[in-house]
């Protein structure tokens, strides 16, 4: 049976991979993003009913992060519209070790709609499609908490899991914690990318205070600086997040992609060799 499925953040790191997989399977997919038609904007609830019209299943990614003020209220309002529109399955992307995000998870689980939570570690693709890419392209990676390892998960594994959960009536009320198979710290990551690309990359361990000051100096907006500081302290510097789970393998019946595999594949695209304007 083919379904009508809304993928919020459908042009993002996880969403666009999920959209591709669902389209390949012949489902009717609606991309939820500000640039889509109808447009979906977390800051404009008036537009949500039109986006949810006719949808049976919804993959929810909140922007910028479930930990920010206002996320809980927005997610709650969205689940109400989803219920009114007859949505019968929700899959929420959440973050590991974020207390604020857990409140949003509870709202989704208590929405009265069959729901499943994906709690993910940081993504491998943060280094090729997000905030850690520019320093790598520039050749100098200066980050705090250099010694802390995280079990980065691959966005492709996450997409495979999300598709499986969206298309299944099982897993109701379940929360899955997705990680990769090993812990990697920033220094090891920089070295692995340097090795795979043959580039000289310098890693500079800095303090969190220096990192925050540098973001401010670059003109990064205050709420984004707050979020980065939150992610480094609450998520990265959190022993409960420095643990590998086997949920990817349990759900997909195969091991998760290892960070080194991701590095080898990504280095072939040339993204890490791209020249940066001075
Ligand atoms: N990165 C990580 O390591 C990590 C780990 C665990 C959990 N997460 C969670 O993952 C979520 C982000 O998912 P992602 O990384 O797949 O997406 P992403 O790559 O950050 O992509 C952003 C997507 O959201 C849309 N978007 C941006 N602002 C929006 C707004 N105001 N209203 C509606 N749509 C908006 C964008 O499209 P338009 O620009 O066209 O609107 C795009 O489709 C966040 O909740 C984050 O906390 C991330």
């Amino acid at each position: 049976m083919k379904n009508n499925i809304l993928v919020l953040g459908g042009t993002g790191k996880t969403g666009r991979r999920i959209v591709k997989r669902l389209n390949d399977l012949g489902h009717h997919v609606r991309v939820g993003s500000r640039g889509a038609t109808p447009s979906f904007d977390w800051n404009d609830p008036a537009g949500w009913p039109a986006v949810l019209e006719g949808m049976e299943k919804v993959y929810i990614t909140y922007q910028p992060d479930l930990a920010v003020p206002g996320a809980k209220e927005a997610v709650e309002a969205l689940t109400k519209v989803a219920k009114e529109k007859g949505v019968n399955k929700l899959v929420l992307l959440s973050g590991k070790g974020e207390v604020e995000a857990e409140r949003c998870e509870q709202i989704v689980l208590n929405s009265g709609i069959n729901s499943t939570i994906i709690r993910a570690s940081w993504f491998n693709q943060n280094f090729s499609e997000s905030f850690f890419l520019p320093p790598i392209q520039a050749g100098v990676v200066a980050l705090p908490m250099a010694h802390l390892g995280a079990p980065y998960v691959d966005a492709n594994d996450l997409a495979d899991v999300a598709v499986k959960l969206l298309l299944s009536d099982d897993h109701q009320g379940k929360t899955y914690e997705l990680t990769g198979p090993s812990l990697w710290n920033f220094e090891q990551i920089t070295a692995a990318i340097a090795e795979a690309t043959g580039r000289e990359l310098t890693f500079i361990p800095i303090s969190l205070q220096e990192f925050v000051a540098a973001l401010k100096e670059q003109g990064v907006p205050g709420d984004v600086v707050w979020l980065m500081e939150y992610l480094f302290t609450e998520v990265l510097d959190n022993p409960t997040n420095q643990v590998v789970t086997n949920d990817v393998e349990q759900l997909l019946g195969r091991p998760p992609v290892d960070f080194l595999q991701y590095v080898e594949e990504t280095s072939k695209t040339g993204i890490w060799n791209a020249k940066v304007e001075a």
Side-chain angles (χ1 to χ4, degrees):
M1 199 178 77
K2 302 304 176 196
N3 291 117
N4 294 335
I5 308 177
L6 170 64
V7 179
L8 296 181
T11 56
K13 289 186 288 303
T14 61
R16 107 184 129 73
R17 291 175 164 86
I18 293 168
V19 167
K20 168 140 189 6
R21 284 161 172 73
L22 292 173
N23 275 330
D24 289 349
L25 291 169
H27 293 281
H28 311 293
V29 185
R30 179 172 288 169
V31 170
S33 87
R34 292 166 302 179
T37 308
S39 169
F40 178 85
D41 189 338
W42 280 106
N43 301 312
D44 180 21
W48 300 353
V51 180
L52 282 152
E53 191 65 49
M55 294 296 112
E56 297 163 291
K57 296 162 186 282
V58 184
Y59 172 70
I60 307 175
T61 52
Y62 184 77
Q63 280 298 322
D65 192 286
L66 288 173
V68 307
K72 187 162 90 56
E73 293 74 14
V75 168
E76 187 156 30
L78 183 91
T79 58
K80 284 193 178 136
V81 181
K83 187 104 201 297
E84 281 160 23
K85 293 291 177 187
V87 169
N88 60 45
K89 176 85 200 196
L90 299 175
V91 174
L92 172 74
L93 174 60
S94 182
K96 277 182 84 212
E98 298 184 23
V99 177
E100 291 81 356
E102 286 173 23
R103 296 197 192 106
C104 298
E105 294 174 6
Q106 285 309 311
I107 286 167
V108 170
L109 292 174
N110 294 327
S111 64
I113 303 172
N114 180 339
S115 302
T116 309
I117 309 298
I118 295 174
R119 236 183 237 166
S121 283
W122 280 5
F123 308 152
N124 293 347
Q125 282 73 11
N126 290 344
F127 295 91
S128 46
E129 300 173 26
S130 192
F131 40 86
F132 295 138
L133 174 61
I136 291 170
Q137 290 179 326
V140 181
V141 181
L143 287 171
M145 296 163 182
H147 59 290
L148 292 180
Y152 292 87
V153 64
D154 199 274
N156 291 305
D157 284 343
L158 196 151
D160 285 343
V161 166
V163 166
K164 181 175 176 126
L165 297 176
L166 282 165
L167 299 181
S168 167
D169 290 332
D170 303 335
H171 312 284
Q172 175 159 8
K174 295 268 172 58
T175 297
Y176 293 107
E177 302 213 329
L178 304 192
T179 73
S182 50
L183 300 173
W184 286 75
N185 68 37
F186 292 131
E187 196 160 10
Q188 293 167 326
I189 288 169
T190 308
I193 295 175
E195 166 98 28
T197 55
R199 285 190 62 197
E200 204 172 295
L201 293 180
T202 307
F203 181 80
I204 305 173
I206 57 174
S207 68
L208 184 64
Q209 289 74 11
E210 287 170 317
F211 179 59
V212 167
L215 291 176
K216 287 182 180 161
E217 212 175 282
Q218 291 158 25
V220 174
D223 52 346
V224 179
V225 174
W226 177 87
L227 180 58
M228 293 303 286
E229 195 171 359
Y230 175 91
L231 292 173
F232 273 83
T233 48
E234 300 295 316
V235 180
L236 189 61
D237 195 3
N238 178 342
T240 62
N241 287 349
Q242 292 152 18
V243 174
V244 165
T245 71
N246 73 348
D247 287 11
V248 170
E249 182 149 15
Q250 188 198 324
L251 286 159
L252 300 180
R254 61 158 178 83
V257 169
D258 184 64
F259 193 82
L260 210 47
Q261 263 174 280
Y262 154 77
V263 169
E264 278 158 13
E265 287 305 311
T266 307
S267 69
K268 291 181 201 152
T269 69
I271 182 84
W272 288 323
N273 294 96
K275 292 245 180 324
V276 177
E277 298 292 318

